[in-house]
Amino acid sequence: MSAPLVSVVVPMYNDRRTVDLCLRSVLAQTHPNIEVIVVDDASTDGCADVAAAHPVQLVRVTENGGPGASRNEGVRRARGEIVFFLDADLTMHPEAVAEAVALFGEHPEYGAVFGVPDKEPLFPEPLVGQYRILQYHYWRKSAEGDVSGGFYALGAVRRAAFLEAGWFNTALRQTEEIDHAERLAARWPMLLTSRIRGRLSDESRMRPLLRKAFVRSRLRVPFYFDRGRAMQGMETGGRAAASALGGLAVAALPFAAVLPAAALPVSALALVGSVLADFGQYRFVRRERGLAFTVFFTGAHLLVNTAVVAGLATGLAQYAASGRFRRMYQPGEALA
């Protein structure tokens, strides 16, 4: 029996730093039957020329449409029965595609299998980048199993399941993955597994990281109201409590100047509660990187949790005020 054709779809926007390594990892796959489709989303940094040096099908888009539009374009051109999505800021281990094919063979009921990035970054990173990679790895590693959230940066989807769920909503620039995965999970089970592995280069500066956390949290509010639940997998009750308590710990600090006897204990207790609510994460970081880095990690994660809470609060206000925002995940609606 011949190996199934796997279409590897790589959406790319200004990824000159990473795309060469990304495509080298794709072309080094042990699975013998792949095609590689790179969709350049109107990049301005010359990364399309880097991609063109590889034996891939390069699609150049003249107007930036976002990751959902790029993935849709890749699927339209794909010929494989399996589509493997890989973001251009990731590399994948040589057996990643073969493992995805094997998993679909072992579990014909699954519509998608998503991977877990390594705890080591693709490049040496400053402290914020190290925090982000470890946090990203741990949350996904700890959520292995059936999920309702999709991780299309590193994962494979049966083409038939993808088409049944429908295309990515191109109006969604930050949350197109959760929208598509929810539609797919309603029809097919999905698996998150460390059998599919890669290595990631992610945000390494605090301000853009906080902005991303805020925006994505805000845009999730109508999604949660529509579905009536959080996503199965990473979004646990403990992590929701950790975010809320982290936000409280920071929010109480400005009152320390006028009400130190009340504000400081509240802030300290909230911080302790935030750590305990997601204690496995901090234990993992302590084991991997030692106490000093764990202290830094705790401070960084406290700031990110605060951005998440601020995003949720802003999203709730926008949900109450804007009918368009409330309907953003409904078919035919554009993002406000």
Side-chain angles (χ1 to χ4, degrees):
M1 184 176 179
S2 61
L5 175 64
V6 177
S7 301
V8 180
V9 172
V10 182
M12 176 177 67
Y13 178 68
N14 287 349
D15 289 301
R16 185 180 181 92
R17 182 182 184 223
T18 57
V19 68
D20 182 66
L21 289 174
C22 172
L23 295 179
R24 287 179 185 272
S25 76
V26 175
L27 297 170
Q29 290 299 295
T30 59
H31 184 75
N33 194 14
I34 66 171
E35 63 174 1
V36 187
I37 303 164
V38 180
V39 183
D40 177 52
D41 195 16
S43 296
T44 59
D45 68 345
C47 59
D49 295 331
V50 177
H54 294 275
V56 303
Q57 180 185 162
L58 176 62
V59 182
R60 297 177 187 253
V61 178
T62 57
E63 184 174 345
N64 183 267
S70 295
R71 293 186 182 115
N72 285 346
E73 186 63 30
V75 175
R76 289 189 188 97
R77 295 169 181 264
R79 296 179 295 116
E81 61 187 82
I82 297 171
V83 178
F84 197 116
F85 293 106
L86 179 70
D87 280 3
D89 59 358
L90 278 126
T91 61
M92 53 181 171
H93 286 232
E95 72 287 349
V97 170
E99 287 287 358
V101 172
L103 283 162
F104 282 133
E106 296 164 14
H107 300 280
E109 72 277 14
Y110 282 118
V113 290
F114 300 110
V116 177
D118 292 347
K119 59 190 175 184
E120 297 85 8
L122 182 57
F123 300 112
E125 296 283 359
L127 288 174
V128 171
Q130 295 173 45
Y131 152 77
R132 178 60 174 159
I133 296 296
L134 276 178
Q135 184 264 328
Y136 195 101
H137 167 81
Y138 176 79
W139 276 30
R140 280 152 182 77
K141 177 68 176 173
S142 64
E144 282 194 85
D146 287 356
V147 292
S148 65
F151 308 101
Y152 295 87
L154 177 69
V157 182
R158 294 185 194 272
R159 182 183 176 85
F162 180 93
L163 295 176
E164 188 178 339
W167 302 96
F168 284 100
N169 183 346
T170 58
L172 304 175
R173 292 295 190 106
Q174 295 281 347
T175 53
E176 78 289 339
E177 288 184 320
I178 64 170
D179 172 71
H180 189 273
E182 186 74 12
R183 287 184 272 125
L184 199 156
R187 297 164 174 83
W188 297 73
M190 305 190 307
L191 180 70
L192 177 63
T193 172
S194 56
R195 283 177 59 178
I196 300 173
R197 298 167 55 209
R199 190 159 289 193
L200 172 66
S201 174
D202 204 351
E203 195 61 66
S204 60
R205 295 173 298 150
M206 183 57 73
R207 181 174 292 181
L209 181 59
L210 295 178
R211 184 185 307 116
K212 183 183 296 185
F214 174 87
V215 170
R216 290 183 175 178
S217 177
R218 177 179 68 85
L219 295 178
R220 275 172 160 78
V221 169
F223 176 87
Y224 293 143
F225 274 105
D226 281 355
R227 275 61 176 183
R229 59 178 174 82
M231 292 182 292
Q232 177 186 1
M234 292 196 307
E235 294 186 345
T236 66
R239 285 171 186 159
S243 293
L245 289 167
L248 176 60
V250 173
L253 286 177
F255 297 96
V258 291
L259 296 169
L264 290 177
V266 167
S267 182
L269 288 172
L271 174 59
V272 171
S274 179
V275 171
L276 291 176
D278 198 8
F279 187 69
Q281 173 181 242
Y282 298 96
R283 183 171 53 202
F284 165 77
V285 174
R286 172 69 173 83
R287 184 174 66 246
E288 290 292 326
R289 297 294 306 277
L291 179 60
F293 184 81
T294 304
V295 172
F296 171 82
F297 183 100
T298 303
H301 201 56
L302 181 66
L303 292 176
V304 170
N305 277 336
T306 303
V308 168
V309 172
L312 288 173
T314 303
L316 286 169
Q318 192 170 358
Y319 188 88
S322 170
R324 191 180 183 192
F325 185 73
R326 289 194 294 272
R327 297 189 301 271
M328 65 179 284
Y329 292 100
Q330 297 176 11
E333 286 294 325
L335 176 61

